[in-house]
Amino acid sequence: MTGQVSVLRDTILYGLTDGGTVKVQEMIVTGPDGHATFQVSDGSTFEVFPNSHLVFRKNAWNVKDLIDLLVGRIRVHIEHFGNVPNPNRILTPTAVISVRGTTFDVTVDDNDEATTIEVEDGLVEVRHALLPSENMKRLGPGESLKVSRSVPIAQNGWDKSQFWQYFMRAVQDAENVASIRLSRGVLGTAGGSSSSGAGSGPGDAGKAPPPAPPAPPPGHFMGSNVPSGDGNAPEPKHRSASTVIRVTAKRAIEWLGKVTGITPAFSPMPERLLF
C-alpha cells in the first residue's frame, strides 16, 4: 500500500499498514493518494485506487458477495482452481457483477453512481441492481459497459441477431407494400360508380356515361407529377414494381441505420431478376 488507506471500525477510521488485515463487513477508505492491494484467503486479489469507499464482504452470510463498491475504482482478479469456477459477486449502487475467474475493473461515479465495468480477461455477467427485471449482459475480454441508474442495460448495446430480424422483416414489408401498390395500380384505375349528383339532371337522361380512362400497362404505377408534352394535362408517371421494391427496401434500410447505427451492405436484386 501507499498513501492514505484506512479501515472503518466502530465509526472510527484506523490507518492500515503493510501486512494489516481487514475483517468482514468493514469499510476500506482511500484518500487522494491512497492505493492498496488486498489478498483474500482463496488467492484472489483486489486493488483499490484513490478516493474509494468499499465494504469487504458486507453480506457475510453469502460467501459469493466479495465487495460492495460505494464509490471509486477497484481492479479485481478472481482465482479459479483448474476447471472449477470460483463464483464471486461485486455489488455497486447500480450493478451486480458476477464472475467465475477473471480480471476486470469496476468504477462507480461519485456524482450519479453510474457503474463502468471493463474486462481484461475472462467473462463477467452484469445485471442492473435497480431494475431487477432487466436481462443479464455478458462481457468478454476488451469489452466494457456503463450502467446508469434509470437506463436499462439493453439500451447500452444492440443485439446482432435482433438487428437481422428487424432487417429481414423490413425487406419483407417492402415486398408487401410493392405488391399492394401493384394491385392498386392495375385495378384501381378502371373507374367506378360515384355517389355525387353533380352534372346530372333531366336533360342528361339516356346519355352514355363518359368513357373510363385507359388502364396503365400491367406491372406499372400511375402518378400525376410529370407534365405532358402539350403542357395541358399531367401525363402519368410509370414505375415498375421492381423499382418500388428497391426504393422501399432502401428507405427501410436507412431507417434501420438511424435506429441501430449499423448500415448493412445490401443491394436489392436487379430488375431483370425480379420481373
Side-chain angles (χ1 to χ4, degrees):
M1 56 161 288
T2 58
Q4 182 182 352
V5 182
S6 307
V7 59
L8 183 65
R9 293 172 179 161
D10 300 324
T11 70
I12 300 176
L13 279 176
Y14 293 91
L16 287 175
T17 58
D18 285 337
T21 60
V22 176
K23 299 178 182 179
V24 296
Q25 298 183 327
E26 289 186 336
M27 177 180 290
I28 300 170
V29 180
T30 57
D33 61 346
H35 176 272
T37 301
F38 297 85
Q39 185 176 39
V40 295
S41 57
D42 65 358
S44 300
T45 60
F46 60 92
E47 189 176 356
V48 187
F49 293 87
N51 296 319
S52 300
H53 293 187
L54 62 134
V55 181
F56 174 60
R57 298 201 185 280
K58 180 179 179 180
N59 302 321
W61 54 270
N62 191 341
V63 295
K64 294 182 181 180
D65 291 350
L66 179 62
I67 295 171
D68 279 59
L69 178 61
L70 307 179
V71 66
R73 177 189 168 209
I74 60 174
R75 182 178 179 85
V76 182
H77 174 73
I78 302 298
E79 285 287 342
H80 57 85
F81 312 101
N83 295 325
V84 180
N86 183 15
N88 281 270
R89 295 200 307 178
I90 309 298
L91 298 97
T92 76
T94 52
V96 178
I97 307 158
S98 301
V99 296
R100 300 298 182 93
T102 185
T103 303
F104 60 98
D105 287 22
V106 181
T107 304
V108 175
D109 194 289
D110 189 18
N111 296 321
D112 57 4
E113 296 183 329
T115 301
T116 302
I117 304 100
E118 301 171 275
V119 179
E120 178 182 316
D121 182 56
L123 183 72
V124 305
E125 298 177 352
V126 183
R127 297 182 184 273
H128 205 295
L130 303 178
L131 303 174
S133 61
E134 271 289 288
N135 294 328
M136 171 269 300
K137 188 176 183 67
R138 288 188 176 91
L139 300 177
E143 295 183 326
S144 63
L145 177 69
K146 183 176 182 179
V147 182
S148 302
R149 293 185 62 87
S150 57
V151 180
I153 289 179
Q155 295 185 11
N156 289 278
W158 184 263
D159 189 348
K160 292 182 179 179
S161 62
Q162 187 178 11
F163 165 77
W164 285 112
Q165 290 176 6
Y166 276 104
F167 173 72
M168 295 306 297
R169 188 183 307 167
V171 173
Q172 184 177 4
D173 290 344
E175 294 176 351
N176 293 338
V177 170
S179 177
I180 293 173
R181 291 183 178 178
L182 175 61
S183 300
R184 290 179 178 175
V186 174
L187 303 178
T189 56
S193 62
S194 173
S195 61
S196 173
S200 63
D204 295 329
K207 291 184 178 180
H220 289 71
F221 306 93
M222 294 188 65
S224 59
N225 58 342
V226 180
S228 61
D230 56 10
N232 295 326
E235 193 173 79
K237 177 183 177 181
H238 302 289
R239 291 196 300 170
S240 66
S242 59
T243 301
V244 173
I245 291 178
R246 289 198 299 271
V247 172
T248 309
K250 180 180 179 182
R251 290 178 179 175
I253 295 171
E254 290 175 351
W255 176 83
L256 283 174
K258 292 180 180 179
V259 174
T260 65
I262 305 173
T263 303
F266 172 78
S267 178
M269 291 184 292
E271 183 175 354
R272 65 178 180 274
L273 297 180
L274 291 172
F275 296 95

